[in-house]
């Protein structure tokens, strides 16, 4: 499977439960996000160039350079953020880690899962991506894994459901 | 949990369910609504109301009454006639609605709390409201009104069935005997309210703001418009709280915890065992000298959050030990590292944490201390967050999410401790569940793993 950054034990799927295998997100997600960035930068650059250019004088059209400059910085940020997302299925819980500046790690014991949701919007589908979201009885639980391969998302969903049933605990 | 009224679940032989109606006084519960609307209009526009009144002739008035009263009466009667409820082995079913039919099936083993409340007028009429808290129920799922004795019998029956008694036995089990744990004397309650900052704050605001406005504008209406809501807040936080929390009694019964309170509107709440998600011990600054605390609790789907309005600390801790079996309130709380003062300047001293074999206890606040307790069995997920400034100082926050949509946070822990805490807490949350009571608390063979 083509994943972004697989660290941990090199044996892959056959690793024992004690050595969790970290899985990253699909590179497709990064492509989607960068595509969106480029599209919005284009729109903003046109707006930032046209409006001051028309109303304040042609020299002000140089404002159009501002959005691309910011976008170039965001281009790198997106990659760092994408690289920071990873998850691992441990023996009894799912561990999701994400964020560069604002780091967040979430642990959800399988027994507490109320619902596993797989969603895929039109743009995500076009790039072959799906999002898995876990819900527990606590609304604050923010356990979402975006940018998964649809097959992997389904595998994860089935596995989580199966483990959740085996260890079901509820409220 | 409510489910739309599907006809039949595919099970052909079901025992006949006897449906019951609410108390006949129910149609009158909304009788004051048209009067209130008229009164509101008259107050809002006094001149217009007077004008309209003079124009009204005797025949017009009679005609209006002749149409309105029967129409309102018919509506009230029909909505009462079409409301049924029934108790089956596993569910409470409420069928209601004249035009828009609505059927709610409430699963009894999911009951989080049962409230019987008697507002003042209902007490005069000898009726009561019964409400079952299940995650996701709303105001429509309450049974208003039932005869007082009927409400009690129904509560006992629902609790007995939820506890796992056989259906035939459930009716005969009757009310479980209750043993009083604590009763708050009115004098102590009054003193505690006097010592509450919010009471004085709202009173001062009610005096100062109108005076300033009077001096600044000299407009009487502005002053009146500001003084009314301010006095309302002041009244609600002092007299209102006294009336609601009057004669607060906490007792224990095999059905769970009983909380009875109220001077005019009496409320009787029952929380079955194992439903409490978090408990908070609140210690306002002015109460500390007397050693008083307030105890709040969170139950999923229930809005009442006070367990003990005021009590000496030792008594309150005893009650907490009853509510969360096997839990002792930790005395020794570990402080946060000294470098945390760069993240949260003065208040860093207030943040403390203790993890025992049964609870995760996090304290926060400097003036008003709040100690939140979460039994490990109630933890739904654990999160660790760290912002850039916190990372600079090697600190991190650990959040523990519970089923009552409350998150308890241990702030500003040492980053390595926090990481260890995260994994350990996940482990404890998983194993803690094994010792928990089953949903049907009187059955012992259905232990969850």
């Amino acid at each position: 499977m083509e994943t972004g950054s697989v660290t941990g034990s090199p044996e892959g799927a056959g690793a024992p439960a004690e050595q969790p295998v970290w899985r990253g997100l699909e590179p497709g997600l990064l492509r989607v996000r960068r595509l969106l960035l480029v599209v919005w930068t284009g729109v903003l650059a046109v707006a930032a160039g046209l409006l001051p250019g028309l109303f304040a004088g042609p020299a002000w059209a140089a404002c159009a350079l501002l959005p691309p400059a910011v976008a170039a910085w965001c281009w790198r940020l997106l990659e760092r953020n994408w690289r920071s997302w990873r998850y691992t299925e441990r023996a009894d819980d799912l561990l999701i880690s994400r964020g560069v500046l604002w780091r967040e790690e979430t642990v959800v014991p399988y027994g507490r899962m109320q619902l596993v949701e797989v969603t895929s919007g039109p743009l995500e589908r076009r790039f072959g991506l799906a999002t898995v979201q876990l819900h527990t009885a606590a609304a604050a639980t923010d356990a979402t894994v975006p940018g998964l391969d649809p097959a992997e998302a389904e595998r994860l969903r089935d596995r989580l459901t199966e483990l959740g049933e085996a260890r079901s605990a509820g409220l | 949990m409510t489910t739309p009224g599907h006809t039949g679940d595919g099970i052909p032989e079901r025992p006949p369910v006897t449906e019951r109606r609410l108390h006949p006084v129910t149609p009158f519960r909304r009788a004051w609504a048209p009067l209130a609307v008229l009164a509101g209009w008259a107050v809002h526009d006094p001149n217009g109301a007077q004008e309209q009144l003079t124009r009204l002739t005797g025949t017009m008035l009679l005609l209006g009454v002749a149409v309105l009263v029967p129409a309102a009466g018919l509506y009230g009667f029909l909505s009462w006639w079409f409301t049924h409820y029934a108790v089956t082995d596993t569910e409470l079913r409420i069928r209601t609605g004249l035009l828009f039919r609505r059927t709610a099936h409430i699963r009894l083993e999911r009951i989080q709390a049962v409230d019987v409340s008697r507002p003042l007028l209902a007490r005069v009429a000898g009726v009561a409201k019964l409400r079952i808290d299940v995650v996701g129920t709303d105001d429509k799922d309450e049974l208003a009104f039932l005869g007082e004795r009927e409400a009690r019998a129904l509560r006992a029956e629902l609790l007995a069935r939820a506890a796992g008694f056989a259906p035939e036995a459930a009716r005969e089990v009757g009310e479980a005997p209750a043993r009083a744990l604590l009763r708050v004397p009115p004098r102590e309650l009054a003193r505690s309210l006097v010592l509450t900052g919010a009471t004085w704050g709202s009173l001062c605001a009610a005096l100062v703001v109108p005076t300033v406005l009077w001096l600044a504008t000299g407009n009487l209406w502005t002053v009146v418009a500001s003084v009314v809501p301010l006095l309302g807040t002041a009244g609600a936080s002092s007299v209102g709280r006294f009336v609601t929390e009057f004669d607060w009694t906490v007792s224990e019964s095999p059905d769970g915890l009983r909380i009875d309170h109220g001077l005019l509107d009496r409320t009787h709440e029952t929380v079955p065992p194992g439903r409490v998600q978090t408990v908070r011990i609140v210690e306002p600054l002015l109460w500390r000298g007397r050693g008083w605390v307030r105890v709040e609790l969170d139950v999923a789907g229930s809005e009442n959050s006070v367990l003990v309005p005021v009590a000496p600390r030792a008594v309150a801790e005893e009650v907490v030990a009853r509510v969360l079996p096997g839990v002792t309130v930790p005395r020794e709380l570990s402080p946060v590292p000294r470098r945390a003062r760069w993240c949260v300047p003065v208040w860093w001293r207030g943040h403390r944490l203790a993890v025992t074999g049964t609870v995760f206890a996090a304290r926060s606040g400097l003036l008003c201390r709040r100690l939140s307790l979460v039994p490990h069995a109630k933890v739904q997920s654990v999160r660790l967050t760290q912002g850039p400034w916190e990372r600079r100082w090697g600190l991190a926050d650990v959040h523990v999410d519970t089923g009552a949509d409350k998150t308890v946070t241990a702030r500003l822990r040492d980053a390595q401790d926090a990481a260890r805490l995260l994994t350990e807490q996940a482990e404890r949350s998983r194993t803690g569940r094994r010792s928990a009571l089953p949903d049907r608390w009187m059955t012992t063979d259905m232990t969850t793993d």
Side-chain angles (χ1 to χ4, degrees):
Chain A
M1 173 160 296
E2 189 194 33
T3 46
S5 59
V6 177
T7 52
S9 66
E11 290 90 348
E18 288 76 33
Q19 292 165 327
V21 186
W22 286 98
R23 289 171 186 277
L25 306 184
E26 288 287 314
L29 183 71
L30 185 61
R31 279 205 294 275
V32 172
R33 288 185 174 167
R34 282 184 166 167
L35 181 71
L36 282 176
L37 178 73
V38 168
V39 169
W40 281 111
T41 310
V43 172
L44 278 176
V46 168
L50 271 184
L51 291 178
L54 286 179
F55 292 109
W60 288 93
C63 286
L65 293 176
L66 213 62
V70 174
W73 186 53
C74 287
W75 183 272
R76 290 196 45 217
L77 281 194
L78 279 178
E79 191 190 340
R80 281 179 68 191
N81 180 275
W82 170 77
R83 213 174 271 290
S84 75
W85 276 84
R86 51 190 196 153
Y87 67 95
T88 176
E89 299 150 67
R90 298 195 298 186
D92 299 294
D93 43 39
L94 184 82
L95 183 55
I96 303 170
S97 168
R98 66 168 186 274
V100 181
L101 276 184
W102 276 269
R103 279 191 46 220
E104 183 159 350
E105 253 175 73
T106 309
V107 185
V108 186
Y110 296 131
R112 297 305 158 89
M113 259 174 253
Q114 301 276 331
L115 165 75
V116 185
E117 206 178 5
V118 178
T119 52
S120 186
L123 194 64
E124 280 182 302
R125 266 205 304 280
R126 173 72 188 73
F127 282 80
L129 296 172
T131 302
V132 173
Q133 190 172 9
L134 318 182
H135 297 270
T136 68
T141 305
D142 180 24
T144 310
V145 189
L148 293 174
D149 181 60
E152 160 70 1
E154 271 174 33
R155 184 201 66 81
L156 192 61
R157 180 195 63 197
D158 292 343
R159 182 164 158 74
L160 291 176
T161 319
E162 186 187 312
L163 288 166
E165 268 169 25
R167 293 170 173 75
S168 173
L171 274 181
Chain B
M1 208 164 285
T2 58
T3 48
H6 289 299
T7 49
D9 311 344
I11 307 159
E13 289 154 43
R14 263 193 301 179
V17 175
T18 48
E19 289 202 319
R20 289 178 258 175
R21 283 213 177 84
L22 299 173
H23 196 273
V25 83
T26 308
F28 297 103
R29 66 187 286 219
R30 303 256 181 255
W32 53 267
L35 289 179
V37 168
L38 277 182
W41 172 64
V43 168
H44 176 74
D45 186 12
N47 297 335
Q50 208 163 17
E51 202 175 293
Q52 293 288 330
L53 266 181
T54 49
R55 276 204 296 166
L56 271 182
T57 55
T59 44
M60 285 278 283
L61 207 66
L62 271 180
L63 208 70
V65 168
V67 172
L68 269 182
V69 170
L74 190 70
Y75 173 75
F77 173 77
L78 285 177
S79 67
W80 170 72
W81 186 256
F82 282 104
T83 303
H84 301 264
Y85 71 92
V87 186
T88 71
D89 294 350
T90 51
E91 289 171 336
L92 169 71
R93 296 182 181 169
I94 304 172
R95 206 149 60 80
T96 183
L98 178 58
L99 291 177
F100 299 93
R101 307 307 309 262
R102 180 170 191 277
T103 311
H105 289 204
I106 299 167
R107 310 246 336 146
L108 292 182
E109 79 260 24
R110 293 275 185 254
I111 285 184
Q112 299 293 327
V114 183
D115 313 338
V116 174
S117 59
R118 297 182 296 152
L120 187 60
L121 279 176
R123 276 172 85 182
V124 173
V127 291
K129 257 193 256 191
L130 187 131
R131 184 191 151 92
I132 294 181
D133 293 320
V134 178
V135 179
T137 47
D138 51 23
D139 284 345
K140 292 179 203 145
D141 298 320
E142 64 181 18
L143 294 173
F145 289 94
L146 298 168
E148 231 164 76
R149 202 180 305 160
E150 201 185 347
R152 274 197 177 189
L154 184 62
R155 177 177 69 174
E157 188 186 339
L158 289 174
L159 285 167
R161 289 198 185 203
F165 281 107
E168 316 79 58
R171 234 159 224 268
E172 279 80 58
V173 168
E175 283 236 295
R179 193 172 65 81
L181 289 178
L182 166 129
R183 174 172 236 136
V184 180
R187 184 191 287 261
E188 195 166 310
L189 182 63
R191 276 195 194 151
S192 76
L193 287 174
V194 168
L195 287 177
T196 304
T199 316
W200 293 107
S202 52
L203 264 180
C204 284
L207 290 178
V208 171
V209 172
T211 322
V212 170
L213 276 178
W214 172 251
L215 291 177
T217 62
N219 187 338
L220 186 70
W221 285 107
T222 331
V223 175
V224 170
S226 72
V227 88
V228 169
L230 282 171
L231 272 183
T233 340
S237 71
S238 54
V239 181
R241 257 181 74 180
F242 182 79
V243 169
T244 330
E245 297 178 354
F246 184 81
D247 191 25
W248 192 286
T249 315
V250 180
S251 33
E252 192 189 28
S253 79
D255 279 344
L257 199 69
R258 293 261 160 85
I259 304 170
D260 308 298
H261 61 95
L263 179 63
L264 303 174
D265 302 355
R266 289 292 288 174
T267 309
H268 313 270
E269 194 179 9
T270 309
V271 182
R275 261 61 170 182
V276 177
Q277 306 276 336
T278 58
V279 169
R280 264 186 315 284
I281 299 179
V282 185
E283 216 178 344
L285 179 68
L286 294 174
W287 292 12
R288 226 173 285 165
R290 293 179 168 266
W292 285 345
V293 294
R294 184 169 75 237
V295 184
E296 299 173 349
L297 85 174
D298 294 311
V299 174
S302 165
E303 58 229 40
N304 176 39
S305 67
V306 182
L307 172 61
V308 178
V310 58
R313 205 186 162 92
V315 178
E317 283 182 3
E318 233 167 77
V319 175
V320 171
R322 294 283 176 174
V323 175
L324 304 174
V327 170
T328 45
V329 180
R331 296 239 152 244
E332 295 293 314
L333 298 157
S334 70
V336 299
R338 219 182 135 62
R339 58 183 189 277
R341 68 180 187 274
W342 300 110
C343 289
V344 179
V346 178
W347 265 258
W348 67 276
R349 280 173 192 282
H351 293 287
R352 281 169 195 230
L353 172 75
V355 182
T356 71
T358 44
V359 280
F360 180 90
R363 202 185 83 183
S364 67
L366 201 57
L367 300 178
C368 180
R369 290 185 189 149
R370 293 160 188 281
L371 176 69
S372 306
L373 306 170
V374 189
H376 296 319
K378 296 296 178 195
V379 174
Q380 297 285 336
S381 63
V382 193
R383 289 177 294 136
L384 180 145
T385 56
Q386 190 182 43
W389 188 245
E390 276 178 326
R391 182 153 57 246
R392 160 78 182 73
W393 295 102
L395 299 168
D397 302 340
V398 177
H399 308 262
V400 166
D401 305 315
T402 70
D405 277 353
K406 284 279 151 63
T407 297
V408 172
T409 306
R411 287 211 62 199
L412 308 169
R413 307 308 301 179
D414 179 76
Q416 281 180 358
D417 283 357
R420 199 164 51 240
L421 198 62
L422 180 76
T423 47
E424 283 173 6
Q425 194 56 43
E427 176 71 18
R428 276 191 290 259
S429 133
R430 200 166 51 72
T431 51
R433 185 72 198 185
R434 292 200 186 119
S435 54
L437 274 169
D439 268 353
R440 294 167 181 269
W441 59 94
M442 280 298 185
T443 54
T444 42
D445 51 341
M446 284 179 63
T447 42
T448 43
D449 55 329

